[in-house]
Amino acid sequence: MKRRMVGWVGGAGLAVAALAPAAAQGSGTSETTGQRAAAACAIWQGSVTAAGQHTSSDVTATTPPAVLDKRTINGSFSPGQIRLSARTTNEPDISGPNLYGYVVIGDALYWSNYFIDATTGQIDPNHQHLLRRVGGGWTPFTMLETSTYETLDGDFSRSVAYAMRENGVLYRWKIVNGTWVSNGSFAGFAAVKSMTLIARTATYDTFLANTRGGGLYTIRIPSSFPLQPVVKQVRTRTWQGFEVLSAMACGRNSTLLLGIDKDTKTGYLYAVGHANGLSTLIESRGKVTGTFDDPVYFRWVPIAPYDVANGD
């Protein structure tokens, strides 16, 4: 654990940086203060290109927002191979980072794991890229995400996965030593276009989701069985344009949110306060410089104890 703590000191520091919409900053020079605070925050955005490359970049709340430090890993997958990707962990290792997470290839779910050579920044040829098949039947699914909550001392952890079918049924699994165990489902989300994890605790997960009708909602999912989501509306309109939502914690209770419009290949950044229904503070940071034209997006994350999400 000590090696991990040293490797992710940057990630831990990010969670302490203050970000709140300008309206929540108080009196005086609140707008300037809010902008300066937001500038310290970024989303560790990932994608799989049409050529099968993994990319990573920092979508940063500068003015205007920008994509910084973009890196490309060649040969991660075959061209067009990956259909869906959950968040992918970047874990430090002596010889180079260890990258792992779940992906959907065709009709099947796989565990993907490979190492990066610290010198070249590319796949380490001394370690085989592992693609372990977990199970089939994934053709109808349109969304995949995982959530692992773990205390710093390692005394408590829980790991679950969520996936949405094209008919709007949300499924949940417990992940135990790499084995997926069905843990409930819930119908009624056919209007959802995209969703992103904004909160994770010992007892619940919360997603932020946009709908085809333009609404923005939080979906809190208690860890108890049966699966019974608690849905609250955050905004009533204007959010229908995004096919991808991606979020990362910034500050103790705030979230930096990226919305990607695949039709126009553009991204927009928002500062989102602690979820509070229609009273939730949301401040637009503007259009992100750069083009978002990759077929698959996901978020890079540190190891679970440092993957902070306190947006709800």
Side-chain angles (χ1 to χ4, degrees):
M1 178 60 75
K2 189 173 292 185
R3 173 179 61 85
R4 289 184 169 191
M5 289 177 69
V6 172
W8 280 105
V9 65
L14 177 67
V16 178
L19 183 150
Q25 292 287 341
S27 59
T29 58
S30 59
E31 178 67 23
T32 301
T33 304
Q35 289 175 348
R36 287 175 179 171
C41 296
I43 296 173
W44 300 349
Q45 189 61 44
S47 73
V48 182
T49 70
Q53 302 158 312
H54 255 158
T55 77
S56 64
S57 57
D58 298 335
V59 181
T60 306
T62 53
T63 305
V67 176
L68 305 177
D69 195 23
K70 186 168 184 177
R71 290 139 286 170
T72 300
I73 304 169
N74 297 316
S76 301
F77 304 100
S78 300
Q81 184 181 26
I82 302 303
R83 194 168 65 81
L84 300 173
S85 176
R87 57 187 49 214
T88 302
T89 300
N90 182 327
E91 180 175 347
D93 193 86
I94 295 174
S95 60
N98 182 13
L99 310 182
Y100 51 85
Y102 289 96
V103 295
V104 172
I105 300 173
D107 185 56
L109 176 73
Y110 288 82
W111 168 256
S112 170
N113 184 192
Y114 66 89
F115 287 81
I116 294 296
D117 184 287
T119 302
T120 66
Q122 296 298 312
I123 296 176
D124 188 342
N126 297 314
H127 292 84
Q128 181 182 3
H129 182 179
L130 173 65
L131 277 174
R132 177 177 59 83
R133 191 178 188 274
V134 178
W138 282 80
T139 297
F141 286 91
T142 59
M143 185 278 292
L144 169 68
E145 187 57 289
T146 55
S147 173
T148 300
Y149 176 84
E150 182 179 336
T151 56
L152 284 171
D153 57 18
D155 287 346
F156 176 84
S157 68
R158 69 175 185 90
S159 186
V160 295
Y162 300 92
M164 185 87 75
R165 287 174 67 105
E166 57 193 5
N167 61 358
V169 179
L170 181 67
Y171 289 80
R172 181 178 64 187
W173 295 262
K174 287 185 177 180
I175 304 176
V176 183
N177 296 324
T179 299
W180 286 38
V181 180
S182 179
N183 192 232
S185 63
F186 190 90
F189 293 114
V192 170
K193 287 192 70 174
S194 178
M195 49 198 293
T196 182
L197 197 65
I198 63 167
R200 182 178 51 262
T201 73
T203 58
Y204 67 86
D205 296 308
T206 300
F207 287 88
L208 189 65
N210 67 320
T211 67
R212 291 174 177 83
L216 190 67
Y217 297 80
T218 54
I219 304 172
R220 178 187 283 197
I221 307 173
S223 57
S224 56
F225 185 87
L227 194 157
Q228 291 288 341
V230 178
V231 179
K232 292 184 179 180
Q233 191 169 52
V234 175
R235 291 293 185 270
T236 60
R237 57 190 179 88
T238 74
W239 287 84
Q240 68 274 10
F242 299 127
E243 285 75 32
V244 176
L245 294 179
S246 183
M248 188 166 182
C250 194
R252 291 174 183 258
N253 298 297
S254 299
T255 300
L256 199 60
L257 176 68
L258 171 67
I260 297 175
D261 184 335
K262 285 193 169 184
D263 294 329
T264 60
K265 302 177 182 180
T266 54
Y268 293 83
L269 203 62
Y270 302 86
V272 181
H274 193 71
N276 186 26
L278 291 169
S279 297
T280 304
L281 292 166
I282 301 179
E283 182 184 272
S284 174
R285 293 291 171 179
K287 183 179 179 181
V288 182
T289 57
T291 302
F292 293 83
D293 57 358
D294 291 327
V296 177
Y297 285 94
F298 64 91
R299 197 167 75 71
W300 292 102
V301 296
I303 58 174
Y306 298 108
D307 185 16
V308 179
N310 295 324
D312 176 29

